[in-house]
């Protein structure tokens, strides 16, 4: 993943946290990546980590807009 980010990838959304389906099926390549590990990886490369909704909006921005009363609800599907 580090090499993908260095090469220009900008989305870890396909990275599953607490992945279990692949491993439950017997594969050895499915691995869990914690939120802490994702944040550390981004920080080690000097890249900002932003949690986004399924519509690629910044989740923290949506929460701020909700608190000010400008948005009724936020999408719960998020990627890191």
């Amino acid at each position: 993943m580090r090499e993908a980010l260095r090469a220009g990838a900008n989305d870890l959304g396909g990275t599953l946290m607490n992945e279990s389906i692949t491993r439950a099926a017997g594969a050895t390549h499915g691995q869990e990546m914690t939120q802490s590990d994702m944040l550390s990886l981004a920080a080690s490369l000097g890249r900002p980590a932003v949690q986004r909704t399924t519509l690629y909006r910044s989740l923290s921005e949506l929460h701020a807009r909700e608190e000010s009363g400008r948005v009724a609800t936020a999408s719960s599907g998020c990627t890191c």
Side-chain angles (χ1 to χ4, degrees), residues 26-57:
T28 58
H29 62 276
Q31 299 295 317
E32 177 179 5
M33 183 173 219
T34 66
Q35 182 178 11
S36 176
D37 288 343
M38 285 187 194
L39 293 172
S40 294
L41 175 61
S44 74
L45 296 170
R47 304 281 297 270
V50 178
Q51 190 173 16
R52 298 190 179 275
T53 69
T54 55
L55 298 177
Y56 212 70
R57 293 186 178 125

Side-chain angles (χ1 to χ4, degrees), residues 19-31:
E19 193 284 329
S20 61
I21 297 170
T22 304
R23 288 180 286 151
T28 58
H29 62 276
Q31 299 295 317

Side-chain angles (χ1 to χ4, degrees), residues 49-69:
V50 178
Q51 190 173 16
R52 298 190 179 275
T53 69
T54 55
L55 298 177
Y56 212 70
R57 293 186 178 125
S58 167
L59 191 59
S60 60
E61 181 182 308
L62 275 177
H63 285 304
R65 289 170 57 192
E66 279 181 341
E67 289 174 6
S68 69

